[in-house]
Amino acid sequence: MSLLSIRDLRTEFTTPAGIVRAVDGVGFDVAPGEIFGIVGESGCGKSATCRSILRLFGGAPARVAGGQILLDGVGDLAAMPERAMARVRGRDVAFIFQDPLTALNPTMRIGRQIAEVIVRHRKIGRAEARAAALDLLRDVQVTSPERRLDAYPHELSGGLRQRVVIAMALALSPRLIIADEPTTALDVTVQDQILRLLRARRDSAGTAIILITHDLGVVSQVCDRVAVMYAGRIVETGPVREVLDRPAHPYTRALIAALPGQAARDADLTPIEGSPPGLIAPPPGCRFAPRCRLARPDCALGAPPALRARTPGHLDACILSEVPDVLA
Ligand SMILES: Nc1ncnc2c1ncn2[C@@H]1O[C@H](COP(=O)(O)OP(=O)(O)OP(=O)(O)O)[C@@H](O)[C@H]1O
Ligand SMILES: [Mg+2]
């Protein structure tokens, strides 16, 4: 049973240069209590995919142009009027941005900001909401929580601010948390603590999490399943151990080969040459073909290849991976 089921999602940005098809036929499922990773290079559509779920485009000229976003017990978010969507945000699904400052109001004390989230959705008094805010700060292991309630965002470190943002995300006990590179702006130790916090929440409350990252190490450490995105599409998806230990798509293989620590010596690191294509007029056929060392002429023909299962639950979109010795 899926908590979230995305089918053939298409999201577009209208720009003076043309229509950017940032998400071009993406589908995946997230089960209750599952941590689902989305990984890929910059510009591949990870954020656009996840912002589409709650239609959080921050004023960008974006629209969900097609597909379904089915949330269990709620319906198709892609077809939901804005008023109903406003109730879904925070209550059913919460969003954590990369930069905690964009999520926090610089002129409002922390305690009040957390309390507002609760008061907006629940009929409880201010004092009760403040007590709940204090509990939430304790949950996310903020030190001296009583004192922090009266602090302003700029008085806190980056790591503490991100804990506050997570407290706000947890405030209404959503069934799904979407975290878009929640730790990229933080140093490694704090990064680790924040990821532990999210995982602990999943373990204790069964909260499902979609975790966007460009870091395969993070995927390996915390995710159950992963989708690898390239140029607006998923090119491989499956259980994390399957995908990382037996990658089927040349793009996934290239990402892994480019990971420090994977190469025998750092001198053997092979960065992927070039960069992902723009999404106004992406190349025909497999969009990775222009950068793929294994590409054959027929890779660059026709529509992008669809995802197909190699083993149950492990899918990839490479026409060559059917021929095992080509990729061996
Ligand atoms: N506001 C915008 N206006 C126009 N195009 C946009 C806008 N935001 C994103 N895009 C384009 O949409 C595509 C997907 O971008 P997106 O931000 O989803 O990528 P991403 O995988 O999250 O990258 P990153 O790792 O850098 O966060 C890119 O081609 C990008 O240029
Ligand atoms: Mg992004």
Side-chain angles (χ1 to χ4, degrees):
M1 183 60 213
S2 293
L3 172 63
L4 181 76
S5 189
I6 296 185
R7 294 282 167 266
D8 198 24
L9 179 67
R10 291 166 198 277
T11 302
E12 303 173 347
F13 293 96
T14 306
T15 75
I19 293 176
V20 179
R21 295 198 164 79
V23 183
D24 196 7
V26 160
F28 59 87
D29 282 40
V30 180
E34 179 170 54
I35 305 186
F36 187 80
I38 301 183
V39 72
E41 286 166 289
S42 188
C44 284
K46 306 182 296 295
S47 296
T49 297
C50 289
R51 285 165 181 260
S52 300
I53 298 170
L54 290 179
R55 253 180 273 152
L56 287 174
F57 294 116
R63 71 178 189 115
V64 174
Q68 293 176 309
I69 303 169
L70 304 168
L71 183 64
D72 175 52
V74 175
D76 183 4
L77 303 186
M80 187 169 274
E82 180 51 37
R83 276 180 61 123
M85 180 60 106
R87 285 195 295 272
V88 171
R89 290 190 195 115
R91 183 195 65 187
D92 299 295
V93 183
F95 202 100
I96 299 172
F97 293 93
Q98 172 173 345
D99 177 5
L101 281 182
T102 58
L104 297 172
N105 179 341
T107 66
M108 202 191 278
R109 294 178 199 275
I110 296 303
R112 190 145 160 244
Q113 294 198 47
I114 302 174
E116 294 248 312
V117 175
I118 305 170
V119 169
R120 212 179 300 141
H121 289 263
R122 295 218 179 111
K123 289 193 174 53
I124 66 168
R126 292 245 157 239
E128 213 182 324
R130 188 177 162 91
L134 183 60
D135 284 343
L136 284 161
L137 287 183
R138 287 202 185 96
D139 286 349
V140 296
Q141 291 157 23
V142 164
T143 50
S144 324
E146 292 88 354
R147 192 156 57 79
R148 309 289 189 194
L149 279 179
D150 292 318
Y152 288 98
H154 72 264
E155 295 173 307
L156 306 179
S157 67
L160 272 177
R161 277 185 213 133
Q162 197 59 301
R163 283 174 199 267
V164 170
V165 170
I166 293 173
M168 287 166 72
L170 301 180
L172 301 167
S173 304
R175 289 181 292 160
L176 174 66
I177 293 175
I178 303 169
D180 189 351
E181 310 239 18
T183 61
T184 306
L186 307 173
D187 72 57
V188 179
T189 324
V190 182
Q191 182 172 336
D192 202 55
Q193 293 165 355
I194 297 286
L195 292 173
R196 277 172 203 275
L197 203 59
L198 288 172
R199 201 162 54 176
R201 181 68 175 198
R202 183 277 297 275
D203 293 344
S204 65
T207 311
I209 298 170
I210 298 178
L211 181 66
I212 303 178
T213 174
H214 57 257
D215 187 339
L216 280 176
V218 167
V219 168
S220 166
Q221 194 189 331
V222 297
C223 296
D224 303 309
R225 284 192 309 130
V226 63
V228 181
M229 279 194 79
Y230 189 77
R233 299 176 60 85
I234 293 176
V235 296
E236 181 159 1
T237 183
V240 162
R241 288 271 62 87
E242 273 280 314
V243 171
L244 296 187
D245 297 346
R246 277 180 293 280
H249 198 284
Y251 180 59
T252 312
R253 290 166 180 239
L255 280 181
I256 293 171
L259 196 65
Q262 287 295 308
R265 290 172 291 123
D266 276 352
D268 294 336
L269 263 184
T270 7
I272 317 176
E273 302 255 332
S275 47
L279 295 175
I280 291 177
C286 171
R287 294 173 179 181
F288 185 59
R291 300 169 77 191
C292 183
R293 289 187 302 121
L294 302 163
R296 299 189 314 207
D298 51 338
C299 290
L301 296 177
L307 284 168
R308 282 168 306 181
R310 303 297 150 196
T311 57
H314 183 182
L315 294 80
D316 77 275
C318 176
I319 59 168
L320 299 180
S321 62
E322 271 186 345
V323 194
D325 48 337
V326 176
L327 290 179

